[in-house]
Amino acid sequence: MREDSAVQLGLIGLGKMGGNMAERIRRAGHQVVGFDKFSPKSEVDSLEALAGALEPSRAVWVMVPSGEPTRQTVRELADVLEAGDVVIDGGNSRYTDDKVHAEMLGTKGIGYLDVGVSGGVWGLQNGYALMVGGAKDDVAKVQPIFDALKPPAPTDESGQELPAAGFVHAGPVGAGHFSKMVHNGIEYAMMQAYGEGYELLEAVDLIEDVPGVVASWTQGTVIRSWLLDLLVRALQEDPKLDRVKGYAEDSGEGRWTVEEAIQHAVPLPAISASLFARFASRQQDSPTMKAVAALRNQFGGHAVRAEAAENPA
């Protein structure tokens, strides 16, 4: 039996993020009915069963891979939910999908919220930053869930609570995912800057304790951040990063950020460069630099390094 202050939530997708979110919500005293056809943790075996397990008005949070998996899930939910219910997309969907989803669900009286979620595998312990787009009435219906997921309010040295952070109703439908897109673009640039600084420290003989230098930046400096703390952690586990290959994927949100910047004539040199650096990381031998080497040889007679034969005789 639920307490009067408790609410129900259907949560689709019980992977690393979804599973931890479900646990954090339960710890706050709410009821979560989870569905994931690929997970043994699933409590129901279909979306129809999920809808049947929830009391109207229902709230269903979608936490599956962005793109077609999310689109398909939202379309299927439109067939099993009813007027007054709310669908929440908490994945990394492109914000342009949100208007399509909201209009489709809206024809049936079903509300829609898009939520950019940040916190990764640490969210269960620390809370999740939430950027929400949608109508105020729909936000109010699931506010207890947002309150359960967001980080606790920070306090000052005296223990007095400071203005709450980690949650924002950013605007209408699409605003949540747009905000998260920009957040991830900034994340790209920050990681690139830390990586470049690390490489320069490693490249000189003058610095004898590279991990120690990086760790020293985590207190009292203007570049301290949680990302820097994580770099320190990585260097403690592998001081030379010998166990890591310099190959970085991109989630797509960095690309979308740069595309929006072009569309709105907003200069984003640092974010753009960090995205292109990820592309370069996937090339074993850069065609661009092959062309540069060939040109230097052509106009200046500079030596080039020949490719080794794949199957020498």
Side-chain angles (χ1 to χ4, degrees), residues 15 52 81 84-86 114 126 146 151 155 181 203 225 306 310:
L81 297 181
D85 296 344
V86 178
D114 57 285
N126 300 332
F146 296 146
T155 58
M181 177 190 73
S225 74
E310 290 187 7

Side-chain angles (χ1 to χ4, degrees), residues 15 62-63 97-98 131 143 156 173 185 189 192 214 276 299 303 310:
V62 180
M63 207 69 192
D97 284 352
D98 295 320
M131 295 144 269
Q143 189 64 55
D156 61 19
V173 165
Q192 184 68 22
V214 176
F276 296 145
F299 73 72
E310 290 187 7

Side-chain angles (χ1 to χ4, degrees), residues 47 62 67-81 87 100-101 104-105 108 110:
L47 293 182
V62 180
E68 191 53 34
T70 293
R71 298 185 194 109
Q72 180 64 29
T73 301
V74 173
R75 287 194 295 266
E76 293 177 6
L77 284 173
D79 293 330
V80 299
L81 297 181
V87 173
V100 176
H101 292 158
M104 175 184 63
L105 294 169
K108 300 189 176 185
I110 303 169

Side-chain angles (χ1 to χ4, degrees), residues 8 51 54-58 82-83 85:
Q8 280 186 318
L54 300 172
E55 300 172 8
S57 297
R58 306 170 185 84
E82 302 172 344
D85 296 344

Side-chain angles (χ1 to χ4, degrees), residues 237-259:
E237 297 172 353
D238 185 5
K240 294 287 187 179
L241 300 182
D242 292 328
R243 301 196 297 269
V244 181
K245 185 176 181 180
Y247 183 106
E249 288 285 3
D250 68 282
S251 65
E253 296 205 74
R255 301 186 191 207
W256 302 340
T257 304
V258 172
E259 289 171 5

Side-chain angles (χ1 to χ4, degrees), residues 78-192:
D79 293 330
V80 299
L81 297 181
E82 302 172 344
D85 296 344
V86 178
V87 173
I88 307 155
D89 178 7
N92 283 333
S93 296
R94 191 164 188 172
Y95 81 97
T96 49
D97 284 352
D98 295 320
K99 183 178 179 181
V100 176
H101 292 158
E103 290 178 350
M104 175 184 63
L105 294 169
T107 62
K108 300 189 176 185
I110 303 169
Y112 177 82
L113 298 173
D114 57 285
V115 183
V117 181
S118 182
V121 296
W122 299 90
L124 175 59
Q125 174 183 340
N126 300 332
Y128 299 87
L130 306 170
M131 295 144 269
V132 181
K136 290 182 179 179
D137 289 347
D138 290 330
V139 174
K141 290 179 181 178
V142 292
Q143 189 64 55
I145 299 298
F146 296 146
D147 291 341
L149 288 171
K150 71 182 184 181
T155 58
D156 61 19
E157 294 179 356
S158 68
Q160 182 71 28
E161 282 196 1
L162 299 172
F167 170 85
V168 62
H169 181 196
V173 165
H177 281 147
F178 192 96
S179 299
K180 179 58 163 38
M181 177 190 73
V182 176
H183 165 282
N184 281 22
I186 294 169
E187 179 185 296
Y188 278 38
M190 291 177 66
M191 288 192 287
Q192 184 68 22

Side-chain angles (χ1 to χ4, degrees), residues 185-226:
I186 294 169
E187 179 185 296
Y188 278 38
M190 291 177 66
M191 288 192 287
Q192 184 68 22
Y194 287 139
E196 291 174 3
Y198 165 78
E199 182 174 358
L200 182 56
L201 291 172
E202 280 285 359
V204 300
D205 295 331
L206 183 64
I207 305 301
E208 297 178 350
D209 183 3
V210 173
V213 170
V214 176
S216 76
W217 294 341
T218 63
Q219 298 292 328
T221 76
V222 297
I223 65 167
R224 62 188 184 274
S225 74
W226 184 45

Side-chain angles (χ1 to χ4, degrees), residues 243-296:
R243 301 196 297 269
V244 181
K245 185 176 181 180
Y247 183 106
E249 288 285 3
D250 68 282
S251 65
E253 296 205 74
R255 301 186 191 207
W256 302 340
T257 304
V258 172
E259 289 171 5
E260 290 296 325
I262 294 170
Q263 181 68 26
H264 293 87
V266 175
L268 298 185
I271 292 174
S272 299
S274 67
L275 174 63
F276 296 145
R278 294 196 181 195
F279 297 162
S281 78
R282 304 167 201 169
Q283 297 177 331
Q284 290 185 341
D285 196 9
S286 167
T288 297
M289 297 316 297
K290 284 186 175 185
V292 170
L295 286 169
R296 292 183 75 246

